Amino acid sequence: MRIRSLGVIDDAVVELSPGFTAVTGETGAGKTMVVTSLGLLLGGRADPALVRIGAKAAVVEGRVVVRPDTPAAVRAEEAGAEFDDGALLISRTVSAEGRSRAHVGGRSVPVGLLGELADDLVAVHGQTDQQGLLRPARQRQALDRYAGDAVSVPLEKYAAAYRRLRAASAELEEITTRARERAQEADLLRFGLDEIAAVEPVAGEDTELAAEAERLGHAESLASAAQAAHAALAGNPEDPEGVDANLLVGGAHRALEAVRSHDPALGGLAERIGELGILLSDVAGELAGYADDLDADPLRLAAVEERRAALTQLTRKYGTEGTVDGVLEWAEQGASRLLELDGDDERITELTAERDGLRAELSLLAQTLTDARVEAATRFATAVTEELASLAMPHARVTIDIRQTEDPEGVEVDGRPVAYGPSGADEVELLLAPHPGAQPRPIAKGASGGELSRVMLAVEVVFAGTDPVPTYLFDEVDAGVGGKAAVEIGRRLAKLAKSAQVVVVTHLPQVAAFADRQLLVEKTNDGSVTRSGVTVLEGEDRVRELSRMLAGHEDSVSARAHAEELLAAARADG
C-alpha cells in the first residue's frame, strides 16, 4: 500500500506481511493514518481534513490479492476491473475540496463499490469501527462453517427444497389469485374458437375468393373480350369472307413451303411460321373454352361475396396480419392456451400437494439444522469463553442465541410454526456477559471498545479457517491490558495469522514481538515541516523499537535484554 499526502504522512510505502504485521510508533506519529488509509481503500468516509496541508489531494493505492470465484472477484469483474496476476489494484483519491474518486483494476468506479468489496476482503475490529462478524447474517454463516458437515449437508438439501417450494408457491399463487382473469380469458378463447369453427376457414381461401369475385363481377366484359380475340385468331363463323390470323399465317406458311427447297434459310422460317400457326390454334381453342366455361351466374357471385364477408369479419377480429392464415394461426395458439387454462384445477391440486410435501420436508430439515447449530454453538461458546480468560477477561462469558420467530404460515420447528428463509428458520446472534451477574447482550453492546476488540479476536481465533475473509485488521486490540495478557494476545494473533492475514496497530511490545513483520511509523521534523514515514524493522532496528516500547527509550540495557527475550520467546512459541 502506498500513502501520499495523508495527514502527517507525506509519502510512504506500507508492505504488509502475508501473516502477522504489527504497526508501532510513538503516540502522534501517525499509526492511525495506516488504519485510515486501509479504511479509505475499503470505501470509508473521505474527510478533506485528512489531506496534508499544502497538498491538493491525498492518495492511497493498494494491491490486494483476491482469490478467484469469490464474491469480491465476481463483483470486481462485473464492474469492468482487470486483474494483475490475481491481484486488484485499488486507489482512492481525496481532494482538499472534499471530492473523492475511486479506481479498481484500472476502471473508475463508485466509492460504494469499495465498501461492497471490503465486506469479503477485510474484517475490521477497532475502537470505533467494527465490521464482519458483528452482523447477524455473517455470524450465522460463520457458525455453520464451524459446525461443518453437521450443518452443511442438511443445509444443502434444505436450500434445494426451499427453492422448489418458492417456485411451487409462486406458481400456485399466480394461478389462484388470477383465477377470475384466467376464467375470463378462457371464455373469450372459447367464443373465438367457436366463431372460427362455425366459418371453417381454409388456408389461402380469402385470396382465391377475391380472384373469383373479380372474375364473376366482370363476366360479360371478359366473355366479350374472349370471343373477339377468338374471332380474330380463328375467324367468325358468321362471316365466311372474313380474314383471321390463322388464315393469314397459313397463307404465309404455304408460300414459304413452296420455295423452301431453293433456300434453307426460308425453310427455317417456314418451320417457325408453322409453329406459330399451331400456337395460334391452341390459344384460339382455349379462348373458345374460356368463353364457354365462364360462369356469369349472379347467384354464385352472391355466394362468393357472402363467404368473403364472413371471412373478413374473422380476419378483423383474429387475423394477426388481416388474412385467413393469421386467423388459423390465432386459433392454433388459442387452442393451446385454452388447454393450459382448462388444466388449472388439476394443476392447483398438484401444486398444493407439492407445496404441502415440501413444507413437511423443510420442517424436518429445519429442525435438523437447529439441532446441529445448537450443538455447535455450545462448543463454540465454551471455546471463546476460554480464550477470553487468557485475554484479561476472566469473568466474561460468550453465548450464542439461536432463536426463531413465530409465524402461522411458517414451518414446524420444536413443535411450533416459525418463519423460515433460504438458510433455515434460525436467527443467530453472539451475546456477551462481561462479568458475573450481567445479562448477556449482543457483543457490540456488551463490551467497551478495547474489550470488544479482544472479544472479536477470541471469536476470530475460534473461527480461524472457517471465515472466508482473508484479512483482519485490529486497532488497539490490546487497550487496557499488559503483562501476561498482552503476551496471550500476541500469541493468539500469531495463531490467527496462520490461516489469514492479520494487521494490528499496537503499543505493546509483547504483541509486536509475535509479528512476522513490524512496521515503524516515525515522525520527523526539519524545523519547518513535520512528516511521518513507514519503515520495515529488522534485526537491530526491531530490538531498538521494542526497547523503546518497553522502557520509553531504546538505549536501556535491561530493556534491550527484555526485547531480545520477547523476540526469542515469540519465535520459540511459533
Side-chain angles (χ1 to χ4, degrees):
M1 181 172 63
R2 185 177 183 183
I3 309 168
R4 288 179 287 173
S5 302
L6 185 70
V8 294
I9 298 180
D10 182 24
D11 192 343
V13 175
V14 180
E15 299 180 12
L16 302 178
S17 166
F20 178 7
T21 299
V23 180
T24 64
E26 294 185 355
T27 300
K31 297 191 299 296
T32 57
M33 286 298 101
V34 176
V35 177
T36 301
S37 299
L38 280 170
L40 288 173
L41 285 183
L42 301 177
R45 187 176 66 87
D47 185 354
L50 296 173
V51 180
R52 184 174 174 80
I53 297 175
K56 294 182 178 179
V59 180
V60 182
E61 300 167 307
R63 186 174 187 272
V64 183
V65 177
V66 182
R67 294 192 297 267
D69 300 326
T70 60
V74 173
R75 185 67 186 90
E77 289 176 347
E78 290 175 348
E82 295 184 359
F83 287 80
D84 178 21
D85 192 22
L88 275 178
L89 300 181
I90 302 176
S91 70
R92 180 81 180 276
T93 303
V94 181
S95 71
E97 292 78 22
R99 293 188 300 273
S100 175
R101 291 180 297 157
H103 290 78
V104 175
R107 180 65 61 90
S108 177
V109 299
V111 174
L113 177 64
L114 300 185
E116 294 179 34
L117 298 179
D119 288 343
D120 297 301
L121 294 177
V122 181
V124 179
H125 303 302
Q127 295 277 15
T128 59
D129 188 12
Q130 298 282 345
Q131 297 177 8
L133 279 174
L134 290 188
R135 291 175 296 180
R138 182 63 66 85
Q139 292 175 8
R140 187 192 62 241
Q141 294 168 4
L143 179 63
D144 288 351
R145 285 189 293 271
Y146 180 80
D149 290 344
V151 166
S152 64
V153 173
L155 181 58
E156 183 177 353
K157 297 178 181 177
Y158 176 95
Y162 178 81
R163 288 191 296 268
R164 296 200 308 272
L165 176 59
R166 287 287 300 272
S169 298
E171 185 179 353
L172 181 60
E173 182 179 1
E174 195 272 339
I175 292 176
T176 54
T177 56
R178 292 186 55 201
R180 174 177 294 184
E181 296 177 16
R182 295 167 74 93
Q184 292 174 345
E185 182 184 357
D187 288 342
L188 289 174
L189 287 173
R190 288 192 189 91
F191 178 82
L193 291 171
D194 289 344
E195 194 172 11
I196 293 171
V199 177
E200 295 183 337
V202 178
E205 183 182 4
D206 49 345
T207 303
E208 296 176 1
L209 288 175
E212 185 178 359
E214 183 72 13
R215 186 168 63 253
L216 291 173
H218 298 83
E220 291 185 5
S221 58
L222 291 173
S224 177
Q227 291 168 356
H230 177 270
L233 294 178
N236 189 347
E238 299 178 359
D239 184 12
E241 301 297 328
V243 179
D244 57 70
N246 268 331
L247 182 62
L248 296 174
V249 171
H253 184 260
R254 287 191 296 274
L256 294 179
E257 280 291 325
V259 297
R260 64 179 297 173
S261 60
H262 303 303
D263 188 348
L266 285 181
L269 292 175
E271 290 180 0
R272 292 170 62 187
I273 292 174
E275 293 172 357
L276 181 59
I278 294 172
L279 179 60
L280 288 174
S281 297
D282 290 343
V283 173
E286 291 183 15
L287 286 171
Y290 176 86
D292 292 338
D293 295 338
L294 188 61
D295 186 1
D297 184 0
L299 295 179
R300 174 55 186 169
L301 177 59
V304 168
E305 292 296 350
E306 183 180 355
R307 179 66 176 174
R308 291 186 68 201
L311 294 176
T312 300
Q313 186 176 9
L314 291 181
T315 57
R316 286 175 180 172
K317 289 184 177 181
Y318 312 108
T320 54
E321 298 178 356
T323 64
V324 168
D325 288 350
V327 172
L328 294 173
E329 181 180 356
W330 182 93
E332 181 179 358
Q333 295 174 353
S336 177
R337 175 61 174 164
L338 186 58
L339 285 175
E340 179 182 338
L341 294 172
D342 286 342
D344 278 357
D345 291 341
E346 182 179 347
R347 184 59 178 157
I348 287 174
T349 301
E350 293 176 356
L351 288 172
T352 301
E354 181 181 1
R355 181 198 61 187
D356 294 344
L358 288 170
R359 286 171 62 87
E361 181 181 352
L362 281 184
S363 291
L364 294 175
L365 291 170
Q367 184 68 64
T368 301
L369 287 173
T370 298
D371 294 342
R373 284 168 175 157
V374 168
E375 189 278 331
T378 301
R379 289 189 289 110
F380 166 81
T382 300
V384 174
T385 299
E386 291 175 355
E387 289 288 332
L388 289 177
S390 301
L391 296 177
M393 296 181 68
H395 304 297
R397 182 170 57 89
V398 168
T399 58
I400 293 185
D401 181 27
I402 299 178
R403 60 185 181 274
Q404 300 83 29
T405 301
E406 290 197 17
D407 183 354
E409 301 299 322
V411 298
E412 290 281 337
V413 175
D414 289 331
R416 58 194 178 94
V418 297
Y420 62 99
S423 298
D426 303 316
E427 299 172 26
V428 176
E429 188 169 29
L430 291 173
L431 303 178
L432 171 69
H435 52 80
Q439 288 295 322
R441 302 178 64 195
I443 54 177
K445 300 177 181 179
S448 63
E451 288 178 332
L452 181 55
S453 291
R454 273 178 277 157
V455 171
M456 297 313 299
L457 172 58
V459 169
E460 298 288 15
V461 167
V462 174
F463 274 146
T466 65
D467 198 322
V469 176
T471 299
Y472 299 93
L473 172 61
F474 291 92
D475 185 15
E476 303 295 342
V477 67
D478 48 16
V481 299
K484 182 179 179 181
V487 173
E488 293 298 330
I489 289 176
R491 180 175 289 117
R492 278 153 180 77
L493 287 168
K495 179 181 178 181
L496 180 60
K498 292 180 180 180
S499 59
Q501 183 182 44
V502 177
V503 182
V504 179
V505 177
T506 181
H507 65 277
L508 291 182
Q510 295 94 329
V511 173
F514 279 89
D516 299 305
R517 175 174 295 166
Q518 184 172 347
L519 302 179
L520 172 64
V521 182
E522 192 172 22
K523 183 185 296 184
T524 60
N525 192 324
D526 60 6
S528 59
V529 178
T530 300
R531 56 171 56 90
S532 291
V534 181
T535 305
V536 177
L537 298 179
E538 296 179 348
E540 178 64 21
D541 291 335
R542 188 171 185 186
V543 173
R544 287 172 60 85
E545 171 61 9
L546 290 175
S547 299
R548 181 200 65 77
M549 297 172 72
L550 284 164
H553 58 88
E554 59 269 21
D555 296 326
S556 168
V557 175
S558 60
R560 286 179 57 84
H562 191 185
E564 292 174 347
E565 182 181 355
L566 282 176
L567 286 172
R571 294 191 187 100
D573 190 88

